[in-house]
Amino acid sequence: MSDQADEHADGAGAAVAAARAGGRAPGDGRVPLRAPANPVSRKAIALWLLEQLFWCVVLIGGSFFLAQWIDGDRWSWLPDWVLDHIWWLPALTVVVFLPAAIVEPFWRYAVHRWEFSGDVVYARSGWISREWAFVPVSRIQTVDKAQGWFERLLGLATVEIRTASHAGSSTIKGLDYEVAATLAEELAQRAEELRDDAT
């Protein structure tokens, strides 16, 4: 796992954001990271499981048709031992991808968290690698709420926070629809207030 909690902060803005989100910024410029306060919805596990199983079925089906095609045409450039054992391809695909598809949603649920504290949105996401995002509300340009097919089915939504810099933007996935709607509204309102105060 590539937890990067000890990496140097990107400038003073990140240090201030971390302090507002509950962390401290020591004199050496490092920002200690704690877990954001709020977990995503438990229904996010079902969402990620559905998404992973969908892609797992696509990969397994693709490997089955590929094995059938290779076996039927007997591709001459492949070694004989590969041609003789080509039906191991779908089986290997199942062994590699199915366990990962089942484990990943639970792992992601344990990692994904979010918090709107003061004037900073703090989010943690990832699976194998992890990403911490501090988004100052004053820099937010747009806040969008999005729902894919599976999200709509489960009553979930994604909040997409965009700033002028792509690197400063963030996405919080796996929220209950009502929570996502409230968060999006509060962020948009607070960003508007901060813009008015600046002028």
Side-chain angles (χ1 to χ4, degrees), residues 98-167:
L98 191 57
I102 293 170
V103 169
E104 180 187 354
F106 295 95
W107 199 334
R108 287 180 72 177
Y109 176 76
V111 171
H112 283 231
R113 299 180 73 86
W114 67 277
E115 182 177 340
F116 175 29
S117 176
D119 291 332
V120 174
V121 180
Y122 175 27
R124 184 180 71 184
S125 60
W127 177 35
I128 295 173
S129 62
R130 294 185 186 178
E131 178 181 333
W132 286 262
F134 297 93
V135 183
V137 176
S138 59
R139 296 186 182 176
I140 293 176
Q141 293 190 328
T142 62
V143 181
D144 296 318
K145 206 169 60 253
Q147 271 189 314
W149 290 358
F150 293 142
E151 286 177 313
R152 195 174 303 121
L153 180 69
L154 296 167
L156 298 172
T158 297
V159 173
E160 297 173 350
I161 302 164
R162 307 214 186 286
T163 65
S165 165
H166 176 70

Side-chain angles (χ1 to χ4, degrees), residues 50-114:
L50 285 171
E51 290 176 346
Q52 291 306 310
L53 288 177
F54 171 80
W55 288 113
C56 202
V57 166
V58 169
L59 285 171
I60 292 168
S63 68
F64 174 81
F65 286 113
L66 179 61
Q68 191 174 32
W69 180 23
I70 293 172
D71 189 46
D73 287 355
R74 300 297 292 181
W75 293 358
S76 59
W77 55 273
L78 286 175
D80 287 340
W81 66 269
V82 172
L83 295 172
D84 293 340
H85 299 93
I86 197 61
W87 287 104
W88 281 96
L89 179 61
L92 186 62
T93 305
V94 170
V95 168
V96 170
F97 290 101
L98 191 57
I102 293 170
V103 169
E104 180 187 354
F106 295 95
W107 199 334
R108 287 180 72 177
Y109 176 76
V111 171
H112 283 231
R113 299 180 73 86
W114 67 277

